DNA sequence: AGATGTGAAAGTTTTCACAGCC
DNA sequence: GGCTGTGAAAACTTTCACATCT
């Protein structure tokens, strides 16, 4: 616990100390603020109060202020937050100022939809590799990207060409693919196969489970 | 607060009183248990202890018991839960014993992937209508389902042909489509467009936001 | 003995409310 | 006067631990 002086310099203390990882819900809200700030920027707003940001995001203004103050003192009392500046700060926090190399595994319908998803490149996520196990697909290309065998993943990862892997394969091969990604040194995975998949510590996996989403709707409908 | 006797008949009291809606995380876990119970059923297991179920679901056994006890006393002390029975109970809670009519709005890449998604019909979600605004698409068919104009939604809804709407349109038309769905009387929406969308009370909306999922990965990667 | 169901405790997240700065 | 930043309070969620039942 060394290094933290008793002085009131919170900014310095915050920068010097290890900041605990934000919770998943904080990060989710941050993503929301980021997008909304883009809208405000397009509307040529210079500054914005937490109240207005909160309104659009569908949360309380205290929540907005707490979320932001976790990462620094971005606002100015009496004024609010500078729209462009805050957006840039959040981009930095979320890692959206970088170029991320993404490998998509699974060249089926879902894979194709993800490959064509326009928002990804806008946020710095570039699907530069498409992999599959089906010999019929290997060698064909999507918009200039040639589909290669999933066995190539370790090589691509070793050459530093993959930051994030998207798993869009059928459920029965999902765990195998995830294991391959992990053993290749990948540390971030977006999984579309239903069910929890085992990953060691240090590997972040996010699940997009369409069945669960639908089930929560049917739960809402069934009286 | 009438009707609840001081007797120990908890089952009766539970059935008589209004049970508050479960939280989103409870419902999510329930979906997970449901799938895992299907696996256990395939393995021909008769009964299962919360401990084993918890292990596969990646939660604590106390969590499993708390989640389940919320809806009734499904287990037998000393024995565990009957696999088939519990699965059936959860199906009832989540509304998976019914046939749900789903209308898909947006016949693009993503729409097509969702239309082809094999898990949906298995859970009782049947995409029986596909709608779009593009005149070039209207009249063409996907696997026997003819694409109709989005303006048909109120009529389909009025005829009781739509329980759930999936919104897979570009972000700029998402709010319009959601408004149309709401005014048509739809009460459950699965939205794939980025950003929060306004819905009145009584309408449940779930968001699948791919950008947010990716951003939470990049947050994990960026030191 | 074995495993559920559940109050009580612990932990986490959100809201409140206001001191402090612009 | 306006609005942030933040401790304290409230609400919610998860875990503990054990009485209770088979």
């Amino acid at each position: 616990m060394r290094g933290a002086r008793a002085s009131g310099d919170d900014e310095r203390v915050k920068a010097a100390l290890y900041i605990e990882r934000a919770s998943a819900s904080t990060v989710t809200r941050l993503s929301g603020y980021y997008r909304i700030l883009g809208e405000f920027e397009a509307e040529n707003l210079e500054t914005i109060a937490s109240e207005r940001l909160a309104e659009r995001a569908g949360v309380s203004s205290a929540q907005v202020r707490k979320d932001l103050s976790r990462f620094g003192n971005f606002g100015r009392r009496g004024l609010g937050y500078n729209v462009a500046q805050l957006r840039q700060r959040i981009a930095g926090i979320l890692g959206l100022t970088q170029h991320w190399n993404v490998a998509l595994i699974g060249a089926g319908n879902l894979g194709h939809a993800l490959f064509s998803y326009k928002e990804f490149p806008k946020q710095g996520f570039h699907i530069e590799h498409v992999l599959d196990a089906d010999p019929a697909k290997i060698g064909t290309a999507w918009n200039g990207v040639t589909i290669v065998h999933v066995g190539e993943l370790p090589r691509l990862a070793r050459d530093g060409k993959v930051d994030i892997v998207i798993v869009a394969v059928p459920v029965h091969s999902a765990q195998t693919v995830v294991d391959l990604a992990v053993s290749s040194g990948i540390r971030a995975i977006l999984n579309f196969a239903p069910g929890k998949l085992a990953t060691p510590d240090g590997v972040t996996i996010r699940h997009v489970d369409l069945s669960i989403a639908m089930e929560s709707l049917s739960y809402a409908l069934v009286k």
Side-chain angles (χ1 to χ4, degrees), chain A:
Chain A
M1 260 310 108
R2 49 177 290 282
R5 293 206 224 117
S7 96
D9 194 342
D10 294 294
E11 199 78 275
R12 279 247 299 288
V13 171
K14 225 171 219 171
L17 292 175
Y18 170 74
I19 298 184
E20 226 171 85
R21 298 271 77 189
S23 73
S25 21
T26 304
V27 175
T28 299
R29 285 192 302 268
L30 234 41
S31 296
Y33 305 155
Y34 177 74
R35 176 173 18 246
I36 292 164
L37 288 165
E39 294 171 17
F40 283 134
E41 220 172 359
E43 293 166 23
N44 285 308
L45 277 169
E46 181 118 356
T47 59
I48 193 75
S50 61
E51 189 65 47
R52 298 255 286 126
L53 185 46
E55 192 184 9
R56 281 221 201 169
V59 302
S60 74
S61 65
Q63 182 78 82
V64 169
R65 294 196 301 276
K66 256 263 155 53
D67 285 341
L68 296 177
S69 73
R70 203 172 184 308
F71 298 97
N73 296 356
F74 302 148
R76 293 224 285 152
R77 291 167 199 235
L79 267 174
Y81 302 86
N82 177 295
V83 172
Q85 205 172 79
L86 180 58
R87 184 151 192 269
Q88 211 41 48
R89 296 273 210 150
I90 296 180
I93 294 165
L94 293 177
L96 305 181
T97 51
Q98 318 188 17
H99 176 113
W100 295 107
N101 291 322
V102 180
L104 167 68
I105 307 186
N109 278 317
L110 180 59
H112 190 244
L114 296 170
F115 184 82
S116 316
Y117 191 58
K118 305 274 197 316
E119 302 294 319
F120 285 160
K122 286 186 204 160
Q123 323 261 324
F125 304 112
H126 302 272
I127 299 181
E128 271 147 11
H129 306 283
V130 179
L131 300 87
D132 202 296
D134 181 355
K137 284 175 180 158
I138 289 157
T140 65
W142 282 352
N143 198 30
V145 178
T146 303
I147 300 174
V148 302
H149 192 270
V150 63
E152 300 283 309
L153 185 61
R155 184 181 57 76
L156 292 171
R158 198 177 321 113
D159 297 354
K161 287 175 180 155
V162 185
D163 300 303
I164 299 172
V165 160
I166 299 181
V167 176
V169 303
V171 59
H172 66 268
S173 39
Q175 184 67 60
T176 311
V177 166
V178 165
D179 292 347
L180 178 65
V182 168
S183 72
S184 305
I186 300 298
R187 285 172 39 232
I189 299 170
L190 183 63
N191 167 51
F192 285 84
K196 274 252 175 9
L197 298 171
T199 43
D201 283 1
V203 177
T204 305
I205 186 162
R206 289 287 175 270
H207 301 270
V208 175
D209 194 319
L210 302 174
S211 296
I212 288 180
M214 289 298 274
E215 286 164 12
S216 98
L217 288 177
S218 77
Y219 173 71
L221 284 177
V222 71
K223 226 274 293 1

